[in-house]
Amino acid sequence: MSAPEFLDLTDPPNRVLVVVAHPDDIDFGTAGTIARLTEAGSTVTYGLLTSGEAGIPEEMDREELQALRESEQTAAAAAVGVTDVRFLGLPDGHLEANLDLRRHISRLIRQVRPDLIITQSPERTWASMYRSHPDHLAAGEATIAAVYPDARNPHAHVELLAEGLEPHAVPEVWVVGLEPLDVFVDITDVIEAKCKALASHVSQVAERFDVDELLRNWAADTTKRLGLPEGRLTEAFRRIVTE
């Protein structure tokens, strides 16, 4: 395996779309990279397929929890410079990588017309049940299928053309947790923003994690595993070039 490539983001993508299953998925995994991208001048849109209404607190009314989790995600996005947060409203815990989900994501791609998509891995990781949540796997698989061939194909989901949404080819995708990881972003200088973003999900993390310690340890472990300079904090991805 060749050495991972350092992405210095001096020439950042203009428009970035992040597609994930649940509120807080971005902030556990990639909020540092998002902070670096917005700092560099990228316009970032979040696409949340569900609103996390099947999660904790279990005793809370589901509609109230949906509203709470959407507000928490909106605050988390603001912490890393993102103001465009779109909730697709699909049922939490019921995502399947079928044509319906591919159409929803293709619509979002044609609306945003991103130069880069960041999404979850479609491959199960047996060492991490959290990472391998069925919704995460479905989100990753359907997003890749929406990137190619759906969003760029005028004959796929023809109803999108009727909505005035022209095909769009996404040139690049960064996949979280898909081995082998081959690109990384140094998030050392924005780790506080990432911690603030995850801490915004009070209903999910306040009583479960020391957010600052957790995220710093994860980022330091990534640095070590990739053989990168000690003392830096990193997030890593598998980069897929689609053209």
Side-chain angles (χ1 to χ4, degrees), residues 97-151:
N98 55 23
L99 286 172
D100 184 59
L101 184 57
R102 287 163 56 175
R103 182 175 61 253
H104 280 291
I105 299 171
S106 295
R107 177 181 289 110
L108 188 59
I109 290 171
R110 293 189 188 189
Q111 290 170 338
V112 176
R113 309 187 76 75
D115 306 297
L116 167 67
I117 282 182
I118 300 175
T119 193
Q120 295 165 298
S121 174
E123 295 188 4
R124 185 174 296 279
T125 302
W126 292 107
S128 174
M129 294 303 291
Y130 167 78
R131 187 175 294 174
S132 299
H133 189 296
D135 280 357
H136 297 175
L137 304 182
E141 177 62 33
T143 298
I144 295 300
V147 168
Y148 179 81
D150 294 3

Side-chain angles (χ1 to χ4, degrees), residues 168-225:
H168 176 71
V170 181
E172 191 166 321
V173 181
W174 297 354
V175 184
V176 182
L178 180 62
E179 301 286 347
L181 303 169
D182 57 11
V183 295
F184 73 94
V185 176
D186 188 325
I187 65 166
T188 310
D189 296 338
V190 295
I191 188 63
E192 290 83 4
K194 177 171 182 171
C195 291
K196 182 178 180 181
L198 183 57
S200 299
H201 298 277
V202 176
S203 68
Q204 307 301 301
V205 304
E207 298 181 1
R208 303 171 68 200
F209 304 108
D210 179 332
V211 167
D212 189 86
E213 181 181 12
L214 177 75
L215 295 183
R216 288 179 182 274
N217 286 344
W218 280 359
D221 286 346
T222 300
T223 299
K224 182 178 181 179
R225 188 159 68 90

